[in-house]
Amino acid sequence: MEFLLVQALSGLASAASLFLVASGLSIIFGVMRIVNFAHGAFYMLGAYVAFTLTDRFAGPLGFWGGILVACLVVAAVGALMEMLLLRRIYHAPELFQLLATFGVTLMVEDIVVLIWGAEDLMGPRAPGFTGAVTVFGRLVPSYDFLLIALGPIVLGLLWLLFHGTRWGVLVRAATQDRDMVASLGVNQKWLFTSVFALGVFLAALGGALQIPRTTVSHAMDLSIIVEVFVVVVIGGLGSVTGAFVAAILVSELNAFGILVLPKISMVMVFLVMAVVLVVRPWGLFGKPEGTPRAAAGLSIRPWRPMSALERMGVAVAILVAASLPVFAGNYALSVGTEILVFVLFAASLHFLMTVGGLASFGHAAYFGLGAYGAAFMVKFLGAPMELALLVGPLLGLAGAVLFGWFCVRLSGVYFAMLTLAFAQIAWSVAFQWVEVTGGDNGMLGIWPSKWASSPQGFFWLTLAIVVIGVGVLRMLVFSPFGYGLRAARDSTLRSEAIGIDRKSTQWAAFIVAGTFAGIAGALFAFLKGSVFPENLAIPTSVDGLVMVLLGGIETVSGAVIGAIVYKALAIWLMSKTELSKLVLGGVIVVLVVAFPKGIVGFLEDLRHRRRRPPAPDGAGPEAAGYVAKVEAAE
Amino acid sequence: MKLEVSGLNSHYGPAHILFDVGFEVGAGEVVALLGRNGAGKSTTFRSVVGLVAQRTGQIRFEGEDVSRLPTYEVVRRGLGYVPEDRRIFTELTVEENFTVGRQPPRAGVATWTPERIYELFPNLGEMRKRPGGQMSGGEQQMLTIGRTLMGNPSLVLLDEPSEGLAPKIVEQMADAILTMKREGLSIVISEQNLHFAKLISDRAYIIEKGRIRFSGTMAELEANPEVRDAYLAV
């Protein structure tokens, strides 16, 4: 009993930092509609800067002053990022801001190592809170009690800020209707910058307060960001109170989960999140979004099938690719095969995101399930490659059937978060179910059949499957199913009014996307000869997102180009520089700012502008009225 | 002239909505912009305050070209805007809605306080702490006008202030608008309801399919039944 109480106290202490970071993320999202992936990076920066300052200035004043100054410094960095980067892309699709902040995260990870080194750092103890208090005969650090008290204090201060000051009232107003706030003479630019700075300050505070408890390391950001996403989603995006309650819930789940069900401790939090989202799709304290933003794939320029010339171009490109094994070496071929695999993976995600308007943050789950499916076939049934390639992806399909059923009940950011949760569950199972999956050691020895075992043979096999896969996906776009899917994406109400069942249509799209990702995964397993949990981990999902966004979300097949550019760039950078994350992150940021419509979207814009220089003028007022109403309705 | 708009063209995506729209408002005048549903009234207002991204043309407010300014700068110069759908901050109380609209006093223009707005709309005074989302349509209409007045504008664009209101509230609204006029405010209202417009307006423009089709005093409009029937009759 005493032990449980102490465990509960420890959970509460962990909840404090989680709450600080999550409330910052929630506030930023509430007002700016930006899912700030860099929030974990700011948390980490807070810890590092606080470490340096408290290390230099000793004594109580030095310590607490150092923590405060560290948070202010990091908040200033955040404000600078908002002004220099985010301001340029507010009008780009919502996901681009996520991509940009992800790029910043990558950069910060390398910058931190450059400045502070790769070693974990031990921060000083907090003056006045170095001892421990005896609770029921067990020692609890007194610093934990400080943290436990801090949570409600910060919650109260934030409440006062939002309800007692004009700034807070403006922020709450902007959360609901930004245009209206501007129409009342409020300069949103500075409102946004200050909100972002406050959110970053809270993240940095969360990180800085960790230094007396844990070591400071350059992996802190990713370890907290996923948990913070979970907290924010359970609590309800935009709700500070929700973040508080959810932070306690998640921390206690972590504290007790490890005792009660150590086998599935990692899954538990995500299971709770999935349940919450299915029962209350907007989180415990969240409110249904009044004005949903336009779905991801919405495009003003109508899509059309390829012209004869473009078909020829594609045929030539495939022929060139097919002739690669004639002159390329083995290394180039294996790189080429890997790129091809990711072309199919990205194309499947692209289908879901642009045609379906459903941005999945956990698409790697189906990629990884396909890979594990193929590995199971080989390892447990001794199946040859041909059979494993056919049957393996069915595991991805099955995962998509199961997870998709839940996910399509949500939309927008909540959909994205639920897909992330399911991917984490899949990852945790692969990681923890050592008897079957080999856990962290993965599964080895998944080799292709003899005829396809040479790099040339496997390249050709992959090329054939990928070309067919991408072709089928493209045909689906222009099929009645694709039209229905786009209708459901563009207007739920109107598509349902003409008899399209949104949920089952989107579920079908989810399954299609999951299956093709599974095929890519199975190919990947045979390419590498092995399967690891990382195949379905978050970085793989994010890679897919980056490829799709780089290619262009408003295009039909941009993901193909996006995958080739990103994968080639990533592999090349990895071989050229120690600071691959810094360079890759920088490249992503530059691309996002320079090509907010993606590479293919940018090229299409160029072509469009050349063909018809003046602004389109033909549509009459009838059409105009229609569009105006669409805008008004949405 | 208080406000001079000329050659205004607006697009939503590929659709051309406004075609060379122009109108003028003198100091202290109440001008009606009349037209059917979808004629372009709201788009005209949204274009004037800069809420329509694709827009060309000249907008002079108190002699200054404001067509390149962001919305908040236009509003800060004293050009108030009350949107058609009211757009109350539903989570915020009446008082807090006023707080959002508050701007510093402006020389030569009536200064509004919550107390003065409660005099104009006594209903609001009885529900100062009530969230905007829990008010009737008429009360929300009063709130949205009051909120814009808190910015101490010298001219107000009122988008269909009588829409969907009970006849009694419409009368109250007309009284309030005439009070605002007496305070020296210039007012542009958009209306489908000719009867309501007649109660308060000095002059009128008629807009149809994105073009101005008529301009004149209310008396001239009265003397032109064919114009009225062609562009306003349902």
Side-chain angles (χ1 to χ4, degrees), chain A residues 47-48 276 280 312 351 357 370 382 406 419 444 483 488 512-513 533 627 633:
Chain A
Y48 270 107
V276 166
R280 277 190 65 94
M312 291 238 304
F351 178 78
F406 292 100
T419 51
L444 308 174
Y483 292 137
V512 166
V627 174

Side-chain angles (χ1 to χ4, degrees), chain A residues 132-153:
Chain A
V133 181
T134 314
V135 180
F136 295 114
R138 286 167 191 276
L139 288 176
V140 177
S142 57
Y143 189 70
D144 279 9
F145 286 99
L146 178 74
L147 290 180
I148 292 171
L150 197 72
I153 292 173

